[in-house]
Amino acid sequence: MADRPGAWIAAVGTGIALLTTDGAVEWLDRPEDRTPVAGRMNDGVADATGRFWAGSMAYDGAHGSGSLYRTDPGGTVVRVLDGLTIANGPAFTTDGTTMYLADTAAGTILRCRVDPVSGDLSGGPETFARLRDGEGGPDGMTVDAEGCLWVAMWGAGAVRRYHPDGRLLHTLGVPAPHPTSVCLHPK
């Protein structure tokens, strides 16, 4: 948030908060406090315009109880998608027009069109990739300079790279059974 230099935005507990350099927590909203099933926040990421996107999930993993929230630069928190189970790894293309979102429990990676000016989703999400049982669950993600999606595979000890058309290009084994996110180093 531009008017709060030095503050960090975080998905924590049941909501979105600003964390200040002196350790104070300033809640922007706690939307999971108002849901019928007790839940918590999960993965979050900022888009190129400074909006913060974060998913949620029910503590008990109840099917369809998770949501995706967007925090606009002014601090307003908006629920933009619901009916998810474990919302993970929002990731954006460099132009900000496409967002990928994992529903780990469903073994699904969704693709959503995003209006980069308003942050609104254009139409509903479409299935980008569906994983089979035993392949692990899609978790944190990032998009590389070529527009390919890298996905941490919880429970599979791997990271996958997908072409923008959905083709699996590469699976990279990692020395951890539950990778949770992907960070790429620029060349």
Side-chain angles (χ1 to χ4, degrees):
M1 298 185 56
D3 64 339
R4 299 297 304 272
W8 293 78
I9 190 166
V12 60
T14 58
I16 309 292
L18 294 179
L19 310 175
T20 64
T21 56
D22 65 358
V25 176
E26 178 185 325
W27 290 101
L28 297 175
D29 195 1
R30 296 176 95 170
E32 289 296 299
D33 284 347
R34 299 184 298 274
T35 59
V37 177
R40 67 171 177 84
M41 300 306 296
N42 207 24
D43 277 3
V45 68
D47 68 17
T49 65
R51 293 181 195 93
F52 182 68
W53 301 73
S56 70
M57 61 179 282
Y59 282 111
D60 66 1
H63 178 76
S65 295
S67 296
L68 176 68
Y69 299 95
R70 180 188 75 227
T71 304
D72 293 326
T76 302
V77 177
V78 179
R79 182 181 311 220
V80 294
L81 192 59
D82 57 14
L84 304 164
T85 300
I86 301 176
N88 257 317
F92 289 85
T93 55
T94 55
D95 65 3
T97 62
T98 302
M99 175 185 60
Y100 296 97
L101 178 68
D103 190 338
T104 304
T108 304
I109 302 168
L110 304 172
R111 179 172 42 204
C112 305
R113 300 292 174 214
V114 179
D115 180 324
V117 175
S118 69
D120 294 335
L121 301 184
S122 305
E126 63 183 13
T127 300
F128 175 75
R130 185 175 308 279
L131 288 95
R132 295 185 305 258
D133 286 342
E135 291 184 304
D139 204 324
M141 304 180 281
T142 195
V143 177
D144 67 21
E146 296 174 357
C148 293
L149 180 69
W150 291 80
V151 183
M153 300 302 299
W154 172 265
V159 173
R160 289 184 167 189
R161 184 177 189 233
Y162 288 91
H163 189 274
D165 67 10
R167 284 181 292 131
L168 176 61
L169 297 174
H170 186 71
T171 300
L172 174 68
V174 297
H178 303 297
T180 60
S181 198
V182 181
C183 181
L184 302 176
H185 184 275
K187 291 183 179 181

